[in-house]
Amino acid sequence: MRRYCFPVLSIWILLTPGVLAQGMAGPPENKWEFSIFTGVSFLGDGTFVTPIEGGGTQDVDLNFDSSYLIGARITENLGDHFGAEFEYTLANQPLSFVNLSPMVPVLDLEHKIHKLSYSVLFYPMDRKERVRPFGSIGLGTSFFHIASDSRDEALLQGVDLKGRWKLAFSFGAGAKIQMGRNWGLRFDVRDQVTGVPSFGLPAQAPLENGGTGPGFRPSGTYHNWQLGVGFMYTFEPR
């Protein structure tokens, strides 16, 4: 994660002094704001104890690669210290199953997470400030989607996979830097907390042809950390 944080922090350090030195007026009292952003997404790995039909267990690993994310937000400014926003994010998150069954020791899959969330923002500083840190908290949902080509390849190995929706809770922090009257930059760190998806696999590994078939019992939660930088534009009232 540190190799992704350094470029974003470098941009922050380079831009902030220049913004503070500008003699421009503060941001207008605009109600609506639109932003687009990109960044990186981290999900991590996990080991899940899965029971086997007839007795015993097997450890199944579910590993996610870190990769890019893109997204957009519509924000409603509610006075000086509060806001609300709707967000869509697409995170590329390749995954692999390890030890899904003796016949499928490793299964690599193309996988993406579609995130929808509604969040409340809190700003400790007034809107006239050019640099405004904020905190956020929200609810939403995440769709764990396996690419059709990967599903077809998995089915040839006897593994029937499906996408899954999971309820999500999110929280985070960031800062907005006003670069002009109607536009600026925005930096965000968010954690999208969800349950672990089953991907349609049975929670108990079945016995098949004298051996053990694919099974996976999810448990606990996943923390999908997202680090982003974006462009924002505010709309002046007519």
Side-chain angles (χ1 to χ4, degrees), residues 69-83:
L69 67 86
I70 56 174
R73 300 183 182 99
I74 297 176
T75 305
E76 182 181 10
N77 294 307
L78 305 171
D80 276 344
H81 297 289
F82 290 95

Side-chain angles (χ1 to χ4, degrees), residues 147-229:
S148 58
D149 289 347
S150 288
R151 290 202 309 269
D152 292 343
E153 292 175 6
L155 196 57
L156 293 176
Q157 301 182 60
V159 183
D160 188 8
L161 299 171
K162 297 178 176 62
R164 283 292 183 263
W165 289 95
K166 301 297 290 187
L167 184 67
F169 166 75
S170 67
F171 64 92
K176 297 180 180 181
I177 303 177
Q178 201 74 20
M179 304 293 289
R181 179 172 175 80
N182 294 95
W183 68 278
L185 297 178
R186 173 171 168 162
F187 299 84
D188 282 84
V189 177
R190 295 281 179 95
D191 183 14
Q192 184 88 340
V193 185
T194 70
V196 180
S198 67
F199 295 104
L201 292 167
Q204 184 180 57
L207 297 178
E208 296 179 351
N209 301 321
T212 304
F216 176 66
R217 172 172 285 182
S219 61
T221 58
Y222 259 134
H223 291 264
N224 185 192
W225 287 97
Q226 299 180 338
L227 178 66
V229 57

Side-chain angles (χ1 to χ4, degrees), residues 225-238:
W225 287 97
Q226 299 180 338
L227 178 66
V229 57
F231 167 86
M232 63 181 187
Y233 182 84
T234 57
F235 297 89
E236 294 193 42
R238 293 182 179 273

